[in-house]
Amino acid sequence: MNAAPDPAAPPSHPAHRGFSPSRIAAIARNTLTELIRLKVFYFLLLFALLIIGNSAFMLRFSFQEEFQVLKDVSLGAMSIFTSLLAIVATAMLLPKDVEDRTLYTILAKPVPRFEYLAGKLGGVLVLLFIATLLMSVLFVAVLFIREKWVIAEILREAGGTPNEQALEMIANVKKSAFSGALVPGIAIIYLKACLLSALTLFVSTFASSSIFTIIVVVAVYFVGHLQATAREYWLAAGANVSWITKGFLAMVSLIFPDLQMFNLVDDIVAGNDIALGLFLRTSGLGLLYVGVYLLAAHFIFSAKEL
Amino acid sequence: MSDPTPAVSIENLTKVYPIPLRRKQLVAVRDLSLQVQPGQVYGLLGPNGSGKSTTLKIVLGLVRPTSGATKIFGSDSSEVESREQVGFLPENPYFYKYLTGEETLRFFGRICLLGGRALQDRIDELLALVGLEHARDRRLGGYSKGMLQRIGLAQALIQKPRLVVLDEPTAGVDPAGSREIRDLILDLKKQGIAVLLSSHLLAQVQEICDRVGILSRGRLVREGRLEDLISIENQTEILLEDAPPELLADIRALVEKSSGKLRDIRKPQTTLERLFLESTESSSLGNPVESTSNDRKS
């Protein structure tokens, strides 16, 4: 027999959990749904057009040049597209939640502010992963199709029976098309986008609008790419460098991420392998930046009055 | 036995916002103290800018007080833990337009760590409670204002809170929607859930609140049981139905003989809201609309 519930009796609640990966996962999943339903993946069509168009345009090159340019353009485009997606997708998340008052309803639930931020960032990072994966699949597919096409061309010119020279050419084609450096190179492109996303989240915790956030992060993006060059130029002056310049450079290095370190495209295009040490160092640095920016965002957001 | 701990306890609460460029300060709430008991509907009234929303935000831990303390069932409301017991519906909520009604409740359930069959049952229960079963698979972007308020109320109740905080729950909602929300609030009261709401729609507050506090420029200027605050102690109202003119004449004569004064004899009026609801309901049923209300009986 079921006992009639006492309407005045307080309902039983599970004990509050100070930190819950499930809550973060719920917010991340919702953020991913939001971004997908906002149709942000449309930019992939642009990427597809770019590399397919680029591939058709390169028919006039030798196959080595063709694969070099294809990899250069594709990886460069992948880097720019993921960076842009990271900045734009993240910049609108917090202001939109404030504008729609959704932030209030979420934080009025037993959700710590850190988990809210971590969930939002998590959603964008999953989106970036999917975007990077789709672009990589598209890029590899175009590379594969071009490789098969060039090999077929070599075989046709050899009259169907490949001689030693043709076999050597085929081996060269395979070497030019795919290299082991592609996977770590793409992983670093993804990490750079993660870093930019965390940086954007940090800026959006104190920025007044999405536009302001985007402008600030794009400025940081350029400074981050140029600072290594500027540092090398100034330090090359040797003894003439004043302590003020050195201090300024150190400050810039601390505040702005050195994004040039995440640019391994040149090595990949040149056919060089990426050393494991360099990959691990760069990955570690990227993850460190993500962690530091997330903590800095939490520091400001937890003190923010909504 | 009822729980003696107040659902909300606010003690000497003051909130000051600095205005940096002008080197001035804005006192949003000044030395506010009040309590909301479990199962009570408390109305926080006041004009725009009187400090109602700031007070609610402090109770929910969204804004820090400059001084004073707020507690929810005895827990400091700045602690995340205190919000296990609270549901909140903000003023004019939009929520995530890309989610359906059911997905919205599922999201809010998940962040309250509900899941599985229990969450699905709770979603079904709440959609039925707020009358949105028919719109469960429709995206919130296509919801009307009243439907948004109702799904907002449903999300506020997802984890079975003991306190519900509503900021202008009927703002911008048509009279029919407004009545539905009011009925839902009365249902909550019957279930023993405390409700703290802010509003400047006084007629509605009068119908549902047990206790009210009136804020003006951040100060609590009146506070108490609604009945005590609005009753006119030296007047008595007698409401008669089908009274013949002779009876009315007798009453007049009796009053004249006594020390009391007859203030007025008049036909009671229905409210404009009731007239609106009756008219729109009868018109939706295809009935002719009355042109006058001279013979209307309340």
Side-chain angles (χ1 to χ4, degrees):
Chain A
M1 195 178 89
N2 291 333
D6 177 4
S12 58
H13 286 94
H16 176 73
R17 273 191 251 160
F19 178 78
S20 165
S22 304
R23 276 194 297 253
I24 296 175
I27 296 169
R29 188 193 307 200
N30 188 58
T31 307
L32 181 65
T33 308
E34 176 179 12
L35 293 167
I36 289 173
R37 292 189 183 171
L38 285 173
K39 301 178 173 61
V40 292
F41 281 128
Y42 275 4
F43 83 97
L44 286 174
L45 290 175
L46 203 63
F47 178 78
L49 282 175
L50 186 78
I51 63 165
I52 292 166
N54 175 54
S55 170
F57 169 76
M58 288 179 310
L59 291 174
R60 68 186 74 170
F61 293 149
S62 72
F63 70 82
Q64 286 97 342
E65 286 172 332
E66 177 186 338
F67 288 124
Q68 271 188 2
V69 175
L70 183 62
K71 283 195 272 190
D72 197 6
V73 169
S74 301
L75 292 172
M78 210 184 274
S79 176
I80 289 171
F81 276 102
T82 50
S83 298
L84 272 178
L85 181 63
I87 295 169
V88 175
T90 316
M92 65 177 202
L93 292 177
L94 254 61
K96 200 165 182 306
D97 272 10
V98 173
E99 192 186 322
D100 293 350
R101 299 179 183 85
T102 327
L103 181 66
Y104 300 150
T105 35
I106 294 173
L107 295 182
K109 300 279 183 203
V111 177
R113 292 191 182 193
F114 176 76
E115 290 184 12
Y116 170 78
L117 286 179
K120 286 281 166 191
L121 182 64
V124 181
L125 298 195
V126 174
L127 176 92
L128 290 172
F129 180 79
I130 296 170
T132 310
L133 193 69
L134 289 175
M135 284 191 280
S136 304
V137 167
L138 197 64
F139 165 50
V140 170
V142 170
L143 211 55
F144 180 76
I145 291 165
R146 291 299 302 153
E147 183 200 80
K148 293 289 166 210
W149 193 85
V150 172
I151 290 173
E153 191 78 357
I154 292 169
L155 288 174
R156 191 168 52 81
E157 282 175 12
T161 48
N163 53 25
E164 199 173 313
Q165 191 189 352
L167 288 173
E168 193 183 335
M169 281 176 76
I170 290 169
N172 280 336
V173 167
K174 286 185 174 173
K175 198 178 161 193
S176 303
F178 290 97
S179 73
L182 276 179
V183 175
I186 291 171
I188 295 296
I189 287 173
Y190 170 66
L191 264 175
K192 181 180 158 188
C194 294
L195 181 160
L196 287 168
S197 180
L199 172 66
T200 309
L201 187 74
F202 164 60
V203 175
S204 73
T205 55
F206 58 83
S208 51
S209 68
S210 301
I211 296 291
F212 177 80
T213 304
I214 291 171
I215 291 170
V216 169
V217 179
V218 168
V220 173
Y221 180 85
F222 285 115
V223 173
H225 273 102
L226 296 174
Q227 66 148 307
T229 315
R231 193 172 55 232
E232 279 164 23
Y233 172 76
W234 270 318
L235 292 179
N240 296 332
V241 179
S242 71
W243 63 271
I244 297 174
T245 309
K246 281 183 179 170
F248 173 73
L249 290 173
M251 200 180 72
V252 169
S253 308
L254 279 174
I255 297 174
F256 298 100
D258 184 355
L259 294 175
Q260 201 54 37
M261 285 187 71
F262 295 87
N263 189 7
L264 304 178
V265 175
D266 293 345
D267 282 336
I268 300 166
V269 172
N272 299 332
D273 281 337
I274 295 172
L276 182 66
L278 175 67
F279 174 70
L280 292 177
R281 226 175 19 254
T282 314
S283 304
L285 189 70
L287 293 173
L288 183 70
Y289 271 124
V290 171
V292 167
Y293 287 136
L294 180 60
L295 284 177
H298 168 61
F299 181 71
I300 290 178
F301 191 61
S302 60
K304 192 170 181 167
E305 302 210 300
L306 302 169
Chain B
M1 200 179 109
S2 61
D3 187 351
T5 312
V8 178
S9 167
I10 301 176
E11 285 172 29
N12 307 113
L13 180 72
T14 296
K15 178 62 191 176
V16 180
Y17 288 104
I19 308 174
L21 293 177
R22 294 186 189 173
R23 292 185 182 176
K24 283 183 182 174
Q25 290 186 325
L26 171 72
V27 182
V29 181
R30 196 189 297 264
D31 200 25
L32 172 67
S33 294
L34 60 85
Q35 285 193 343
V36 181
Q37 299 303 328
Q40 195 173 61
V41 180
Y42 192 107
L44 204 53
L45 314 179
N48 291 336
S50 59
K52 303 186 300 286
S53 292
T54 303
T55 304
L56 296 188
K57 282 182 178 176
I58 293 171
V59 168
L60 294 161
L62 299 172
V63 169
R64 271 190 307 281
T66 306
S67 64
T70 54
K71 289 182 178 173
I72 295 172
F73 292 103
S75 301
D76 189 332
S77 68
S78 63
E79 300 293 326
V80 177
E81 194 175 344
S82 71
R83 298 198 271 284
E84 292 281 0
Q85 311 281 359
V86 188
F88 174 53
L89 172 64
E91 185 182 358
N92 295 325
Y94 290 98
F95 301 112
Y96 293 117
K97 291 187 185 82
Y98 54 86
L99 293 182
T100 65
E102 185 173 353
E103 286 171 339
T104 299
L105 296 186
R106 180 161 290 112
F107 167 66
F108 283 103
R110 280 188 177 138
I111 61 173
C112 292
L113 301 183
L114 300 174
R117 194 66 241 169
L119 176 57
Q120 188 57 51
D121 290 347
R122 185 68 182 148
I123 291 168
D124 295 342
E125 187 186 341
L126 286 172
L127 285 171
L129 179 75
V130 299
L132 287 174
E133 284 165 304
H134 64 287
R136 66 189 305 150
D137 297 323
R138 204 190 305 169
R139 287 195 186 179
L140 265 50
Y143 273 31
S144 70
K145 192 103 176 167
M147 290 165 84
L148 280 175
Q149 291 291 105
R150 282 187 279 154
I151 199 75
L153 198 54
Q155 68 75 28
L157 297 171
I158 192 81
Q159 86 276 28
K160 298 187 179 175
R162 294 162 69 196
L163 166 70
V164 176
V165 179
L166 310 170
D167 192 1
E168 303 284 359
T170 53
V173 181
D174 68 22
S178 181
R179 177 166 284 278
E180 284 168 1
I181 291 168
R182 192 172 32 191
D183 291 344
L184 286 169
I185 293 170
L186 290 173
D187 277 350
L188 297 180
K189 183 183 168 183
K190 278 184 204 159
Q191 292 170 41
I193 296 171
V195 179
L196 171 60
L197 63 91
S198 81
S199 181
H200 46 229
L201 299 174
L202 305 180
Q204 290 179 359
V205 170
Q206 192 174 338
E207 278 189 83
I208 53 174
C209 289
D210 303 309
R211 203 174 176 89
V212 296
I214 303 175
L215 284 170
S216 175
R217 295 183 180 180
R219 279 188 195 281
L220 189 66
V221 288
R222 296 295 292 274
E223 205 266 347
R225 286 178 60 232
L226 188 68
E227 286 172 16
D228 297 342
L229 290 176
I230 62 173
S231 62
I232 303 169
E233 287 300 321
N234 65 343
Q235 292 186 7
T236 306
E237 213 170 44
I238 301 171
L239 200 63
L240 303 173
E241 192 168 296
D242 299 329
E246 304 82 53
L247 176 61
L248 296 178
D250 287 350
I251 291 171
R252 277 180 197 276
L254 273 173
V255 174
E256 278 168 15
K257 279 184 205 165
S258 74
S259 59
K261 287 180 192 167
L262 184 66
R263 283 285 194 193
D264 197 6
I265 292 184
R266 63 181 173 196
K267 290 199 182 296
Q269 295 176 323
T270 185
T271 60
L272 189 58
E273 184 197 67
R274 191 174 294 168
L275 175 70
F276 175 90
L277 288 171
E278 283 173 6
S279 307
T280 49
E281 279 163 15
S282 64
S283 126
S284 67
L285 291 170
N287 295 335
V289 179
E290 295 172 40
S291 58
T292 65
S293 59
N294 289 341
D295 58 347
R296 181 175 298 280
K297 291 181 180 179
S298 60

